[in-house]
Amino acid sequence: MRGDEVIHLEPKVMEVLCYFAARPGEVVTREELERDIWHGAIVGYDAVTKTVIKLRKALGDDARRPRCIATIPKKGYQLVASVIFSDATEHTVPAPMAGRTDVAHKLLWVWIGRVAVFMCLVGVAAFMLWPTHNNSTAEVPSLLVLPLVNLDQDKTHNVFADGMTEDIIIDLSSFAGLFVFASHTSFQYQGKEVAYTDLSKELGVDFILEGNIRRLAESFRINVSLIDAKTGRNVWARRYDKNSHNVFGVTSELAREISQALAIKLSSREQQQLGEISTANLKAYDHFLAGQRVASQRTRDSIQQASLEYRRAIELDASYGRAYGALAFNMAVAYRRGWTDTPMETLDRALALAEQATLLDRRTPQTYWVLGYVHMMRKELDAAERAVEKAIAISPNYADGYGLLALLSNHRGNAIQAIKYIKKGMALNPYYTFDYPYNLGRAYYTLGRYKEAIVSLEEAQERNENVMPPKIFLAASYMAEGRVDDAQWTVEQMRVLSPDISLSHIEKTIPISNRQLKQKLLHDLSNAGLS
């Protein structure tokens, strides 16, 4: 409540607000939020950041000049606004020595009680306020794969369930006759009860695949159902019982049967791809998934930890192409962020690993995407573009492929093409990561549309505060727009994130082939105070 105004919050956003309110003035880490609010579920920086963005919007707060919630770089968030408990809450708040989680939960129920009359409107409000994303290929059916639910008591198996969900999406995304939403969008609905008809309206989706998985000592059981989103009717259902030696073939089998249920005719290439698997080693797969879990944080420590997991996966299965590709990407990130004492050797090693990944796994678009990314970091833009186009040829629904093509277009100074690619990616991945508004903002910067660039780049920064590229172009855009104070402040934030950041490092690591564009960027950053 704000006076007589009612602000509708999604339940998860309300829970985060109550959690902050129980700890006013304290720094709340992302790890604590994941543990106590998401209860250990696999969430990346975007999930947490997006929730805070919604909360700031409801509070009318500004991340640049926070009155309510401050971002503490490399640590988390802090509620800087004062908290006063009304008479209605005084008797329900536990004593100060009570557990913090208990405080947050009791506060949550107090608030829920106070707004109970409005809670029935929350879902409707969310869907009305959130933009509808109709798929851009209306002539083919569209599909959203909801995360498989882990039915085991052992919650560590959640990682495995999420990995299998990703693999199902990879297999289905290879079908040219099916529009499949990206996995990042799918995982936005993890643990949520959302009506099929609401999903149909929100995303413009035709069909929904949902299911559950139980992992036992030597066997697996997977139940899946294909639902008509508009009517809620069950179109197709199947149970798969597999032992641990052949569980990895189940995603291909499932994808093939869904194509039959939807009367999608597969090409010979698509059929051949379904007959291939990335690994048959369950322990290697577990290590790969553990690496993926921490790598999404994009910090120096998380990249190092993930790389150890990928190496363990390779030790267990020397033919595991995706593990080679993931390790190559981490090395390319370390090069770009200056986290290596031997930059050129690191980049050479990244290329060798990426090439090995594509030799070992020709069915997975991610391996070609990584090869393209490494070539891009080496300023080999033509080779990078060929690799990414191969990824999209394998998987026409690969949203991140279009995102990387947009980045390559930006490096060439082709802003119009970049906007075209990134909007295609956004259609495939409505709950996109920071990369998407970053590329959009870069394109607007190139076109001299600085106000629009600032809007997009600020959104990118909000979605992931630990990555450097959005800050680089945001500082330049502020400077070009004449907002000198904002530009200088952003440069200071860049130094907090990476103390060694410099114009020479940016010139070396951002492979902009358009010399005039690169000089403008460096000129704007220099005027903003970066040396």
Side-chain angles (χ1 to χ4, degrees), residues 218-222 240-244 246-247 249-250 253:
E218 297 295 332
S219 64
F220 297 82
R221 170 167 290 181
I222 302 174
Y240 300 90
D241 288 305
K242 301 288 182 181
N243 61 45
S244 59
N246 62 9
V247 66
V250 73
E253 186 178 346

Side-chain angles (χ1 to χ4, degrees), residues 240-280:
Y240 300 90
D241 288 305
K242 301 288 182 181
N243 61 45
S244 59
H245 301 293
N246 62 9
V247 66
F248 295 105
V250 73
T251 60
S252 297
E253 186 178 346
L254 183 154
R256 184 178 289 105
E257 293 186 354
I258 288 178
S259 71
Q260 294 170 355
L262 297 178
I264 297 171
K265 186 176 180 180
L266 302 183
S267 67
S268 58
R269 180 185 60 81
E270 291 169 342
Q271 292 179 20
Q272 181 182 355
Q273 285 178 203
L274 288 179
E276 303 170 357
I277 60 174
S278 296
T279 184

Side-chain angles (χ1 to χ4, degrees), residues 233-481:
R233 182 173 61 88
N234 194 322
V235 176
W236 168 89
R238 178 75 190 277
R239 185 181 77 192
Y240 300 90
D241 288 305
K242 301 288 182 181
N243 61 45
S244 59
H245 301 293
N246 62 9
V247 66
F248 295 105
V250 73
T251 60
S252 297
E253 186 178 346
L254 183 154
R256 184 178 289 105
E257 293 186 354
I258 288 178
S259 71
Q260 294 170 355
L262 297 178
I264 297 171
K265 186 176 180 180
L266 302 183
S267 67
S268 58
R269 180 185 60 81
E270 291 169 342
Q271 292 179 20
Q272 181 182 355
Q273 285 178 203
L274 288 179
E276 303 170 357
I277 60 174
S278 296
T279 184
N281 189 308
L282 190 55
K283 289 184 178 179
Y285 187 68
D286 284 339
H287 281 296
F288 173 75
L289 294 178
Q292 295 290 84
R293 178 186 176 93
V294 295
S296 62
Q297 298 174 20
R298 298 278 187 94
T299 64
R300 185 169 190 168
D301 289 342
S302 70
I303 291 294
Q304 291 175 345
Q305 183 181 345
S307 295
L308 289 175
E309 296 290 351
Y310 298 143
R311 288 190 175 96
R312 292 190 186 106
I314 292 169
E315 288 171 2
L316 291 164
D317 182 358
S319 64
Y320 197 173
R322 286 194 68 191
Y324 285 92
L327 185 57
F329 176 71
N330 278 5
M331 288 185 171
V333 171
Y335 165 81
R336 179 172 59 81
R337 295 293 298 272
W339 292 339
T340 172
D341 296 328
T342 55
M344 294 317 299
E345 291 87 342
T346 298
L347 204 53
D348 288 343
R349 179 61 177 152
L351 179 60
L353 287 167
E355 289 175 337
Q356 180 72 358
T358 57
L359 289 174
L360 292 169
D361 189 345
R362 297 179 180 275
R363 68 179 287 276
T364 307
Q366 283 86 347
T367 57
Y368 286 94
W369 185 96
V370 170
L371 180 60
Y373 185 86
V374 172
H375 276 305
M376 180 185 68
M377 296 312 300
R378 295 169 63 87
K379 303 181 182 180
E380 299 161 353
L381 300 188
D382 289 341
E385 195 167 273
R386 287 193 297 271
V388 184
E389 287 174 347
K390 177 66 174 176
I392 291 176
I394 293 171
S395 179
N397 295 291
Y398 188 35
D400 286 348
Y402 292 102
L404 189 49
L405 284 178
L407 185 56
L408 289 166
S409 296
N410 272 326
H411 287 331
R412 294 181 188 276
N414 190 342
I416 300 300
Q417 188 70 17
I419 292 171
K420 174 185 174 183
Y421 281 134
I422 206 61
K423 289 190 174 180
K424 171 70 172 178
M426 286 176 166
L428 287 162
N429 187 10
Y431 289 94
Y432 43 80
T433 58
F434 81 91
D435 313 65
Y436 293 72
Y438 160 63
N439 268 299
L440 193 58
R442 272 195 64 172
Y444 287 140
Y445 172 79
T446 299
L447 294 172
R449 293 158 59 175
Y450 303 121
K451 286 186 173 65
E452 293 169 275
I454 289 168
V455 171
S456 293
L457 292 165
E458 284 179 341
E459 179 188 352
Q461 183 176 247
E462 283 283 350
R463 287 175 180 269
N464 192 333
E465 294 141 350
N466 286 320
V467 292
M468 184 64 72
K471 288 180 170 58
I472 291 172
F473 283 88
L474 182 58
S477 297
Y478 280 142
M479 198 68 224
E481 184 61 19

Side-chain angles (χ1 to χ4, degrees), residues 50-197:
K50 190 171 182 179
T51 303
V52 175
I53 290 173
K54 291 180 180 179
L55 187 52
R56 280 180 171 142
K57 183 177 180 181
L59 295 171
D61 201 16
D62 182 356
R64 170 72 171 81
R65 300 179 182 84
R67 296 177 297 101
C68 300
I69 301 170
T71 297
I72 310 301
K74 298 186 179 180
K75 293 184 179 180
Y77 301 99
Q78 180 183 35
L79 184 67
V80 294
S82 61
V83 176
I84 301 173
F85 297 110
S86 69
D87 293 339
T89 63
E90 282 178 350
H91 303 294
T92 59
V93 177
M97 295 302 292
R100 288 169 176 166
T101 303
D102 292 339
V103 174
H105 287 166
K106 291 190 178 183
L107 273 171
L108 171 64
W109 287 109
V110 169
W111 278 94
I112 288 177
R114 299 180 76 185
V115 300
V117 69
F118 305 108
M119 288 306 288
C120 63
L121 300 176
V122 170
V124 175
F127 289 127
M128 290 178 65
L129 293 172
W130 196 264
T132 299
H133 300 273
N134 293 316
N135 71 69
S136 59
T137 8
E139 67 273 13
V140 301
S142 59
L143 174 69
L144 174 72
V145 180
L146 293 179
L148 292 175
V149 177
N150 172 31
L151 297 182
D152 294 347
Q153 293 297 321
D154 187 349
K155 296 308 176 186
T156 61
H157 291 173
N158 287 343
V159 179
F160 182 83
D162 291 344
M164 293 297 287
T165 302
E166 288 266 13
D167 287 350
I168 291 171
I169 293 171
I170 288 173
D171 284 335
L172 290 169
S173 294
S174 67
F175 300 164
L178 182 64
F179 182 99
V180 182
F181 286 96
S183 60
H184 190 267
T185 292
S186 295
F187 280 98
Q188 297 302 311
Y189 299 99
Q190 190 165 48
K192 299 178 181 178
E193 294 185 8
V194 185
Y196 304 129
T197 52

